[in-house]
Amino acid sequence: MKHTYQQARYDEPLLIEKGRPGRIGASLPPWDDNRDLSALLPAGMVREDLKLPEISEPEMIRHYVRLSQMNYGTDSGIYPLGSCTMKYNPKVNDRIASHPTLQRMHPLQPEDTVQGVLAMMYELQEALCEIGGMAGCTLQPAAGAAGEFTGLLIARKYHETRGDLKRDEVIVPDSAHGTNPASAVMAGFKIIEIKSAPDGSVDLNALKGALSERTAAFMITNPSTLGIFEKNICEVQQACHDAGALLYYDGANLNALMGKARPGDMGFDIMHYNLHKTFSTPHGGGGPGSGPVAVSCDLVKYLPVPMVVKEGKTFRLDYDRPDSIGKVKGLYGNIGVLVRAWAFVKVLGGTGLKRASELAVLNASYIRSRIESVYPVPFTAPTKHEFVASADFLKEKGGSAKDVAKMLAERGLHPPTNYFPMIVSEALMIEPTESETMEELDLFSDALLDIAKRSAEEYKLAPRTTTVSRVDEIGAAKNLILNWNQFPKEQ
Amino acid sequence: MGLRSIDDLFQDIPEHLRVKELDLPPPMSEVEVIREADSLMNASKGGGDMLMFLGGGFYDHFIPTIVDNVVSRSELYTSYTPYQPEMSQGILQALFEYQSLMADLVQMEAVNTSMYDLPTAIGEAILMSNRINHRNVFLIPELMTKDKECVIRNYILGAKMELRKVPFKNGAMDLDALKGMLGPEISGVYLENPNMLGLFDPGATEIRSILDPKMVYVVGVNPTTLGIAKPPGAYGADIVVGEAQPLGIHLSYGGPSTGIFATTMQHVRKMPGRIIGASKDELGRRAFCMTLSTREQHIRRDRATSNICTNEALTSIMAAAYLASLGKNGFRSLGIQLASRGRHLAERMDKLDGFTAPAFKGHFFNEFPVKVDVDVCSLLTECEKRGVLAGINVSEEVSSMKNIFTVATTEMHTSKDYDKLIEVLKAAREVVQ
Ligand SMILES: Cc1ncc(COP(=O)(O)O)c(C=O)c1O
């Protein structure tokens, strides 16, 4: 198979290695009443030396353009990172978030000066409630994990308020994302992990065995981490509620279900959304994101303060909520992200969101149908927006899921998530999203099929076309170099 | 694929759970959504539409145009967390540079790529302090906004820690009171410098010597002050946190921005968040990758140092681009100018009948407390009616402080803006009187 990909490679110096003394890339407005430093600061508080780069504006933009050319985003090509929903980030969203009024809007301005933004927040809350089938929503959490933490604080408060003080356990399946148990511990719970059934679904018996008068909540995604719709969802719901526990929905996989089914209708009590996944906001190389939380009727009173409420035609931040859990983030949330998600919902509308989920599922199912005969999918249930295939068969010739990833990178295609979930050996978790064309899906599938035929020797060489070849990650952890002052001195 | 219709793909969803249609408005064209957004934004105001002197950790600084250009590079902003280092060297180097710039600025060794914001960074710092010394009581200043305190209280719930408040005296932390509160159960102390009122805390450089060696000293900073003020690393901080918004990040009604988090190499393995390290590729070339992942949730799950996964990477890169753009000389000059403007404005306000500025003796940067002899709430409302947001009422935060508000200025203000503020304050006080 012919492939000609070549990622840029510059021997680009670090910012501090560039420039010359005296250069500057910005200018300050004039000010003629400057005081003496010694008068401005308490004795002993004056800074002696300041180490910062000295570079010009053109040097700086070249630096970052080169860095960007040594990077890969959804704007570069397919990015089928399972569980991460790397869909296209519409440019109109950025335009709206860059409105000069919003950019210079201070968080402590009076409410009557920020009505437009409050209106957007309110509309987004309402839309998210409708999409999730929930009764109330907060936009405060800054990411999915922060949403989980918020939701679990709500669960905690709910049980406490009812005088049900023994509930100190949260159950998660062994396929759960790492943030689920980590968030539950931060909210003060012990973790009970249950094994998944052989078909990848929740093992009802294991769940019933784990549920008790100590269970505060059961956390799952649906579709599961394997991309499978939870066939026992009604029984799961029944079992949890019979035991007095709440059911938590990790919204990382909502892209399969918009306009098709709603967590609220399935009996979930609390859910979070990942706006940087399902709602098309850019992931920024690690963030910012946003993880709104929505809850059923009985739990609305516990949502964080402030809530955006509407009274007549005006919007207000409501702090007067005596049962609220308080706050999980400063101020009101990642507004720049919320505004982008607002635009996404507006442009797609109800029918468009539904279509997005349909295409996401179609695209994943298509890739599965193209590669399944070579990369086994260990579960027979139909695929939703993503699926997990195994590269275990490559072990025989000394290959691995990691090798597949590096071979894809070599062809300029972003690899799927690998080694997650841990319950599938040599896992390749593939989520193309609705954004990809048939041509791109074929390119990706063809590449996977071709890679399976390659030899272990070739695997070990990959990737050769990326900016660097395999990075010594073990070495990085052993000899820590975390800033530019820590490089070993050259001899 | 042997399918007849899209619906075949959804047969596994039980019939009674399927929804027909979402009750949402119909799709909009791009023009329409822009029009609607513009009309909502035009019904709102920002720093460009009215005169404001609001601070509290968030400031309307000038952002060099290049900063937005840098983060508009879509190879950077449309990428995920760099799990595949070979094809992500750009974002990795940019974040490594952020870590380095911030390490130099606060004078610490290890900086993570970001926390969600300052309040969550303080919460994480207290949890980390508990991991370091297994002690359960943490001291915070009485001068702290409710917004922050509320977040922190939730962060420490799971660790079953207790917060105690160190009182203030003359607008700074009361060191005698602090000494009296220390004991073997104290895990550490958090000091904000400058504090909630905008005042530098003269005790900051002494606190390390008051604490026993096991206690953790956490310092919160406004990073812009560090062009001229001594960095916390130089006076013994074990953890430094801060709000990076003033470093070239748009206000955006309070988010997104970056929570700064820094510590020493001694404690780096107890730190939360993503960390980028330098290494080499197979050909021995310099290369970057995420490191120390065994602290994190995707490996350590319920025993991780934090639940944080998605963070605020892109705004950290804005902060880095901002610092590099101003550079050594620009950033220092900016610091001098801001502190001088603060002085200038305080002196002018102090001359007004009924106003004392600063309300407490002390040094400050671009924000300072003002005491007024009328009801502060009514005063600020009267100013607002005259088109000026004159400051933040901090009497609402600490009950012992009556009729005090903080005023913040930046390089965006002109001399005429100061004239206008003075005129409006005078008129507003007369009306309220
Ligand atoms: C299944 C699942 N749950 C939770 C999360 C955490 O979300 P975030 O990274 O926004 O904190 C993720 C994504 O990383 C995920 O894939």
mmCIF file of all heavy atoms in Angstrom, chain A residues 310-344:
data_model
loop_
_atom_site.group_PDB
_atom_site.id
_atom_site.type_symbol
_atom_site.label_atom_id
_atom_site.label_comp_id
_atom_site.label_asym_id
_atom_site.label_seq_id
_atom_site.Cartn_x
_atom_site.Cartn_y
_atom_site.Cartn_z
ATOM 1 N N LYS A 310 -34.741 31.994 35.255
ATOM 2 C CA LYS A 310 -35.422 32.986 34.425
ATOM 3 C C LYS A 310 -36.644 33.481 35.186
ATOM 4 O O LYS A 310 -37.440 32.678 35.677
ATOM 5 C CB LYS A 310 -35.849 32.338 33.109
ATOM 6 C CG LYS A 310 -36.434 33.304 32.110
ATOM 7 C CD LYS A 310 -36.725 32.609 30.793
ATOM 8 C CE LYS A 310 -37.189 33.623 29.754
ATOM 9 N NZ LYS A 310 -37.571 32.991 28.509
ATOM 10 N N GLU A 311 -36.759 34.797 35.291
ATOM 11 C CA GLU A 311 -37.933 35.370 35.942
ATOM 12 C C GLU A 311 -38.534 36.388 34.993
ATOM 13 O O GLU A 311 -37.939 37.434 34.753
ATOM 14 C CB GLU A 311 -37.540 36.033 37.262
ATOM 15 C CG GLU A 311 -37.394 35.029 38.387
ATOM 16 C CD GLU A 311 -36.645 35.583 39.575
ATOM 17 O OE1 GLU A 311 -36.386 36.808 39.617
ATOM 18 O OE2 GLU A 311 -36.301 34.781 40.464
ATOM 19 N N GLY A 312 -39.674 36.055 34.431
ATOM 20 C CA GLY A 312 -40.240 36.895 33.390
ATOM 21 C C GLY A 312 -39.298 36.886 32.212
ATOM 22 O O GLY A 312 -38.998 35.823 31.670
ATOM 23 N N LYS A 313 -38.806 38.058 31.850
ATOM 24 C CA LYS A 313 -37.882 38.113 30.723
ATOM 25 C C LYS A 313 -36.427 38.271 31.155
ATOM 26 O O LYS A 313 -35.536 38.402 30.319
ATOM 27 C CB LYS A 313 -38.277 39.281 29.807
ATOM 28 C CG LYS A 313 -39.450 38.910 28.919
ATOM 29 C CD LYS A 313 -39.667 39.950 27.848
ATOM 30 C CE LYS A 313 -40.754 39.487 26.893
ATOM 31 N NZ LYS A 313 -41.431 40.551 26.226
ATOM 32 N N THR A 314 -36.201 38.299 32.469
ATOM 33 C CA THR A 314 -34.826 38.496 32.912
ATOM 34 C C THR A 314 -34.237 37.219 33.500
ATOM 35 O O THR A 314 -34.935 36.347 33.996
ATOM 36 C CB THR A 314 -34.714 39.607 33.979
ATOM 37 O OG1 THR A 314 -35.784 39.453 34.880
ATOM 38 C CG2 THR A 314 -34.711 40.983 33.379
ATOM 39 N N PHE A 315 -32.907 37.181 33.420
ATOM 40 C CA PHE A 315 -32.172 36.032 33.923
ATOM 41 C C PHE A 315 -31.388 36.460 35.154
ATOM 42 O O PHE A 315 -30.926 37.595 35.244
ATOM 43 C CB PHE A 315 -31.238 35.501 32.839
ATOM 44 C CG PHE A 315 -31.980 35.045 31.623
ATOM 45 C CD1 PHE A 315 -32.233 35.926 30.574
ATOM 46 C CD2 PHE A 315 -32.467 33.754 31.534
ATOM 47 C CE1 PHE A 315 -32.939 35.517 29.456
ATOM 48 C CE2 PHE A 315 -33.180 33.329 30.424
ATOM 49 C CZ PHE A 315 -33.410 34.214 29.374
ATOM 50 N N ARG A 316 -31.250 35.512 36.083
ATOM 51 C CA ARG A 316 -30.637 35.844 37.355
ATOM 52 C C ARG A 316 -29.759 34.690 37.811
ATOM 53 O O ARG A 316 -30.001 33.533 37.461
ATOM 54 C CB ARG A 316 -31.759 36.053 38.379
ATOM 55 C CG ARG A 316 -31.589 37.210 39.316
ATOM 56 C CD ARG A 316 -32.912 37.560 40.016
ATOM 57 N NE ARG A 316 -33.623 36.403 40.548
ATOM 58 C CZ ARG A 316 -33.259 35.678 41.611
ATOM 59 N NH1 ARG A 316 -32.172 35.983 42.270
ATOM 60 N NH2 ARG A 316 -33.985 34.669 42.019
ATOM 61 N N LEU A 317 -28.752 35.011 38.630
ATOM 62 C CA LEU A 317 -27.961 33.970 39.273
ATOM 63 C C LEU A 317 -28.550 33.756 40.655
ATOM 64 O O LEU A 317 -28.526 34.655 41.490
ATOM 65 C CB LEU A 317 -26.499 34.421 39.378
ATOM 66 C CG LEU A 317 -25.748 34.554 38.050
ATOM 67 C CD1 LEU A 317 -24.404 35.241 38.276
ATOM 68 C CD2 LEU A 317 -25.543 33.190 37.407
ATOM 69 N N ASP A 318 -29.088 32.576 40.889
ATOM 70 C CA ASP A 318 -29.782 32.312 42.148
ATOM 71 C C ASP A 318 -28.849 31.616 43.151
ATOM 72 O O ASP A 318 -28.433 30.479 42.924
ATOM 73 C CB ASP A 318 -31.011 31.439 41.851
ATOM 74 C CG ASP A 318 -31.822 31.179 43.107
ATOM 75 O OD1 ASP A 318 -31.584 31.861 44.130
ATOM 76 O OD2 ASP A 318 -32.684 30.285 43.070
ATOM 77 N N TYR A 319 -28.534 32.339 44.219
ATOM 78 C CA TYR A 319 -27.689 31.777 45.280
ATOM 79 C C TYR A 319 -28.524 31.278 46.458
ATOM 80 O O TYR A 319 -28.006 30.643 47.361
ATOM 81 C CB TYR A 319 -26.709 32.839 45.790
ATOM 82 C CG TYR A 319 -25.510 33.057 44.897
ATOM 83 C CD1 TYR A 319 -25.529 33.994 43.880
ATOM 84 C CD2 TYR A 319 -24.345 32.313 45.085
ATOM 85 C CE1 TYR A 319 -24.422 34.202 43.065
ATOM 86 C CE2 TYR A 319 -23.235 32.508 44.284
ATOM 87 C CZ TYR A 319 -23.278 33.455 43.275
ATOM 88 O OH TYR A 319 -22.172 33.644 42.474
ATOM 89 N N ASP A 320 -29.805 31.620 46.441
ATOM 90 C CA ASP A 320 -30.631 31.319 47.601
ATOM 91 C C ASP A 320 -31.196 29.908 47.488
ATOM 92 O O ASP A 320 -32.375 29.710 47.201
ATOM 93 C CB ASP A 320 -31.751 32.361 47.691
ATOM 94 C CG ASP A 320 -32.563 32.168 48.960
ATOM 95 O OD1 ASP A 320 -32.056 31.496 49.888
ATOM 96 O OD2 ASP A 320 -33.697 32.671 49.011
ATOM 97 N N ARG A 321 -30.332 28.930 47.704
ATOM 98 C CA ARG A 321 -30.719 27.534 47.546
ATOM 99 C C ARG A 321 -30.183 26.750 48.735
ATOM 100 O O ARG A 321 -29.096 26.179 48.667
ATOM 101 C CB ARG A 321 -30.177 26.995 46.234
ATOM 102 C CG ARG A 321 -30.625 27.823 45.007
ATOM 103 C CD ARG A 321 -29.999 27.337 43.724
ATOM 104 N NE ARG A 321 -30.210 25.917 43.519
ATOM 105 C CZ ARG A 321 -31.331 25.388 43.034
ATOM 106 N NH1 ARG A 321 -32.319 26.165 42.683
ATOM 107 N NH2 ARG A 321 -31.444 24.095 42.897
ATOM 108 N N PRO A 322 -30.934 26.712 49.814
ATOM 109 C CA PRO A 322 -30.429 26.199 51.090
ATOM 110 C C PRO A 322 -29.975 24.729 51.057
ATOM 111 O O PRO A 322 -29.112 24.345 51.837
ATOM 112 C CB PRO A 322 -31.615 26.378 52.040
ATOM 113 C CG PRO A 322 -32.797 26.721 51.197
ATOM 114 C CD PRO A 322 -32.291 27.277 49.923
ATOM 115 N N ASP A 323 -30.490 23.919 50.153
ATOM 116 C CA ASP A 323 -30.097 22.504 50.130
ATOM 117 C C ASP A 323 -28.931 22.221 49.189
ATOM 118 O O ASP A 323 -28.485 21.082 49.069
ATOM 119 C CB ASP A 323 -31.295 21.639 49.714
ATOM 120 C CG ASP A 323 -32.387 21.661 50.766
ATOM 121 O OD1 ASP A 323 -32.041 21.515 51.948
ATOM 122 O OD2 ASP A 323 -33.561 21.864 50.400
ATOM 123 N N SER A 324 -28.450 23.268 48.516
ATOM 124 C CA SER A 324 -27.391 23.066 47.510
ATOM 125 C C SER A 324 -26.125 22.469 48.125
ATOM 126 O O SER A 324 -25.800 22.721 49.282
ATOM 127 C CB SER A 324 -27.053 24.418 46.879
ATOM 128 O OG SER A 324 -25.823 24.349 46.206
ATOM 129 N N ILE A 325 -25.398 21.711 47.302
ATOM 130 C CA ILE A 325 -24.108 21.169 47.759
ATOM 131 C C ILE A 325 -23.052 22.263 47.842
ATOM 132 O O ILE A 325 -21.948 22.022 48.333
ATOM 133 C CB ILE A 325 -23.573 20.073 46.805
ATOM 134 C CG1 ILE A 325 -23.428 20.605 45.376
ATOM 135 C CG2 ILE A 325 -24.459 18.837 46.853
ATOM 136 C CD1 ILE A 325 -22.485 19.804 44.510
ATOM 137 N N GLY A 326 -23.326 23.458 47.346
ATOM 138 C CA GLY A 326 -22.315 24.523 47.371
ATOM 139 C C GLY A 326 -21.697 24.686 46.007
ATOM 140 O O GLY A 326 -22.412 24.818 45.021
ATOM 141 N N LYS A 327 -20.361 24.663 45.946
ATOM 142 C CA LYS A 327 -19.702 24.916 44.672
ATOM 143 C C LYS A 327 -18.643 23.862 44.359
ATOM 144 O O LYS A 327 -18.072 23.254 45.269
ATOM 145 C CB LYS A 327 -19.014 26.285 44.695
ATOM 146 C CG LYS A 327 -19.954 27.434 45.049
ATOM 147 C CD LYS A 327 -19.479 28.728 44.441
ATOM 148 C CE LYS A 327 -19.591 28.623 42.951
ATOM 149 N NZ LYS A 327 -19.114 29.793 42.252
ATOM 150 N N VAL A 328 -18.377 23.657 43.086
ATOM 151 C CA VAL A 328 -17.322 22.725 42.678
ATOM 152 C C VAL A 328 -16.256 23.411 41.829
ATOM 153 O O VAL A 328 -15.244 22.821 41.470
ATOM 154 C CB VAL A 328 -17.883 21.527 41.884
ATOM 155 C CG1 VAL A 328 -18.742 20.665 42.797
ATOM 156 C CG2 VAL A 328 -18.671 21.996 40.673
ATOM 157 N N LYS A 329 -16.509 24.666 41.486
ATOM 158 C CA LYS A 329 -15.563 25.440 40.685
ATOM 159 C C LYS A 329 -15.824 26.897 40.998
ATOM 160 O O LYS A 329 -16.951 27.240 41.359
ATOM 161 C CB LYS A 329 -15.820 25.166 39.191
ATOM 162 C CG LYS A 329 -14.855 25.886 38.266
ATOM 163 C CD LYS A 329 -15.282 25.856 36.825
ATOM 164 C CE LYS A 329 -14.272 26.532 35.908
ATOM 165 N NZ LYS A 329 -13.789 27.828 36.373
ATOM 166 N N GLY A 330 -14.814 27.739 40.856
ATOM 167 C CA GLY A 330 -15.030 29.156 41.060
ATOM 168 C C GLY A 330 -16.036 29.688 40.050
ATOM 169 O O GLY A 330 -16.139 29.180 38.929
ATOM 170 N N LEU A 331 -16.813 30.682 40.446
ATOM 171 C CA LEU A 331 -17.732 31.366 39.537
ATOM 172 C C LEU A 331 -18.741 30.411 38.903
ATOM 173 O O LEU A 331 -19.323 29.612 39.594
ATOM 174 C CB LEU A 331 -16.923 32.165 38.507
ATOM 175 C CG LEU A 331 -15.965 33.143 39.224
ATOM 176 C CD1 LEU A 331 -14.885 33.647 38.296
ATOM 177 C CD2 LEU A 331 -16.742 34.286 39.851
ATOM 178 N N TYR A 332 -18.892 30.453 37.554
ATOM 179 C CA TYR A 332 -20.079 29.818 36.952
ATOM 180 C C TYR A 332 -19.800 28.697 35.970
ATOM 181 O O TYR A 332 -20.732 28.051 35.502
ATOM 182 C CB TYR A 332 -20.921 30.896 36.252
ATOM 183 C CG TYR A 332 -20.821 32.250 36.920
ATOM 184 C CD1 TYR A 332 -20.201 33.309 36.288
ATOM 185 C CD2 TYR A 332 -21.300 32.424 38.224
ATOM 186 C CE1 TYR A 332 -20.073 34.543 36.924
ATOM 187 C CE2 TYR A 332 -21.161 33.656 38.860
ATOM 188 C CZ TYR A 332 -20.539 34.712 38.209
ATOM 189 O OH TYR A 332 -20.405 35.911 38.835
ATOM 190 N N GLY A 333 -18.558 28.484 35.610
ATOM 191 C CA GLY A 333 -18.257 27.437 34.636
ATOM 192 C C GLY A 333 -17.360 27.966 33.533
ATOM 193 O O GLY A 333 -16.986 29.136 33.538
ATOM 194 N N ASN A 334 -17.004 27.086 32.606
ATOM 195 C CA ASN A 334 -16.164 27.495 31.473
ATOM 196 C C ASN A 334 -17.031 28.094 30.371
ATOM 197 O O ASN A 334 -17.411 27.434 29.409
ATOM 198 C CB ASN A 334 -15.353 26.299 30.957
ATOM 199 C CG ASN A 334 -14.111 26.069 31.801
ATOM 200 O OD1 ASN A 334 -13.689 26.946 32.572
ATOM 201 N ND2 ASN A 334 -13.526 24.902 31.682
ATOM 202 N N ILE A 335 -17.317 29.385 30.526
ATOM 203 C CA ILE A 335 -18.304 30.044 29.663
ATOM 204 C C ILE A 335 -17.920 29.972 28.178
ATOM 205 O O ILE A 335 -18.774 29.740 27.326
ATOM 206 C CB ILE A 335 -18.477 31.533 30.073
ATOM 207 C CG1 ILE A 335 -18.702 31.665 31.592
ATOM 208 C CG2 ILE A 335 -19.600 32.186 29.286
ATOM 209 C CD1 ILE A 335 -19.943 31.024 32.126
ATOM 210 N N GLY A 336 -16.638 30.158 27.887
ATOM 211 C CA GLY A 336 -16.199 30.103 26.490
ATOM 212 C C GLY A 336 -16.548 28.768 25.838
ATOM 213 O O GLY A 336 -16.810 28.694 24.630
ATOM 214 N N VAL A 337 -16.553 27.716 26.626
ATOM 215 C CA VAL A 337 -16.915 26.384 26.122
ATOM 216 C C VAL A 337 -18.444 26.270 26.000
ATOM 217 O O VAL A 337 -18.963 25.755 25.009
ATOM 218 C CB VAL A 337 -16.352 25.290 27.058
ATOM 219 C CG1 VAL A 337 -16.745 23.905 26.566
ATOM 220 C CG2 VAL A 337 -14.836 25.417 27.184
ATOM 221 N N LEU A 338 -19.135 26.780 26.986
ATOM 222 C CA LEU A 338 -20.608 26.693 27.005
ATOM 223 C C LEU A 338 -21.221 27.387 25.786
ATOM 224 O O LEU A 338 -22.173 26.887 25.176
ATOM 225 C CB LEU A 338 -21.162 27.340 28.276
ATOM 226 C CG LEU A 338 -20.687 26.741 29.601
ATOM 227 C CD1 LEU A 338 -21.266 27.530 30.781
ATOM 228 C CD2 LEU A 338 -21.081 25.282 29.711
ATOM 229 N N VAL A 339 -20.659 28.532 25.452
ATOM 230 C CA VAL A 339 -21.190 29.313 24.334
ATOM 231 C C VAL A 339 -21.022 28.544 23.015
ATOM 232 O O VAL A 339 -21.893 28.553 22.145
ATOM 233 C CB VAL A 339 -20.466 30.678 24.308
ATOM 234 C CG1 VAL A 339 -20.642 31.374 22.992
ATOM 235 C CG2 VAL A 339 -20.968 31.547 25.458
ATOM 236 N N ARG A 340 -19.903 27.841 22.891
ATOM 237 C CA ARG A 340 -19.693 27.016 21.689
ATOM 238 C C ARG A 340 -20.729 25.890 21.625
ATOM 239 O O ARG A 340 -21.292 25.603 20.564
ATOM 240 C CB ARG A 340 -18.282 26.424 21.688
ATOM 241 C CG ARG A 340 -17.183 27.431 21.366
ATOM 242 C CD ARG A 340 -15.805 26.780 21.493
ATOM 243 N NE ARG A 340 -14.743 27.588 20.948
ATOM 244 C CZ ARG A 340 -14.059 28.509 21.626
ATOM 245 N NH1 ARG A 340 -14.360 28.748 22.894
ATOM 246 N NH2 ARG A 340 -13.093 29.192 21.050
ATOM 247 N N ALA A 341 -20.978 25.257 22.760
ATOM 248 C CA ALA A 341 -21.957 24.163 22.784
ATOM 249 C C ALA A 341 -23.360 24.702 22.487
ATOM 250 O O ALA A 341 -24.160 24.055 21.809
ATOM 251 C CB ALA A 341 -21.929 23.463 24.138
ATOM 252 N N TRP A 342 -23.640 25.890 22.986
ATOM 253 C CA TRP A 342 -24.927 26.540 22.704
ATOM 254 C C TRP A 342 -25.117 26.669 21.188
ATOM 255 O O TRP A 342 -26.167 26.330 20.647
ATOM 256 C CB TRP A 342 -24.952 27.914 23.382
ATOM 257 C CG TRP A 342 -26.135 28.775 23.041
ATOM 258 C CD1 TRP A 342 -27.336 28.803 23.690
ATOM 259 C CD2 TRP A 342 -26.224 29.743 21.975
ATOM 260 N NE1 TRP A 342 -28.164 29.726 23.094
ATOM 261 C CE2 TRP A 342 -27.515 30.312 22.037
ATOM 262 C CE3 TRP A 342 -25.334 30.176 20.978
ATOM 263 C CZ2 TRP A 342 -27.934 31.299 21.142
ATOM 264 C CZ3 TRP A 342 -25.761 31.151 20.087
ATOM 265 C CH2 TRP A 342 -27.048 31.708 20.181
ATOM 266 N N ALA A 343 -24.046 27.139 20.510
ATOM 267 C CA ALA A 343 -24.122 27.320 19.057
ATOM 268 C C ALA A 343 -24.322 25.980 18.351
ATOM 269 O O ALA A 343 -25.088 25.868 17.394
ATOM 270 C CB ALA A 343 -22.859 28.012 18.553
ATOM 271 N N PHE A 344 -23.652 24.949 18.841
ATOM 272 C CA PHE A 344 -23.776 23.613 18.239
ATOM 273 C C PHE A 344 -25.228 23.130 18.302
ATOM 274 O O PHE A 344 -25.785 22.654 17.311
ATOM 275 C CB PHE A 344 -22.851 22.651 18.988
ATOM 276 C CG PHE A 344 -22.857 21.234 18.454
ATOM 277 C CD1 PHE A 344 -22.278 20.937 17.224
ATOM 278 C CD2 PHE A 344 -23.420 20.198 19.193
ATOM 279 C CE1 PHE A 344 -22.261 19.619 16.746
ATOM 280 C CE2 PHE A 344 -23.413 18.883 18.715
ATOM 281 C CZ PHE A 344 -22.832 18.602 17.489
#
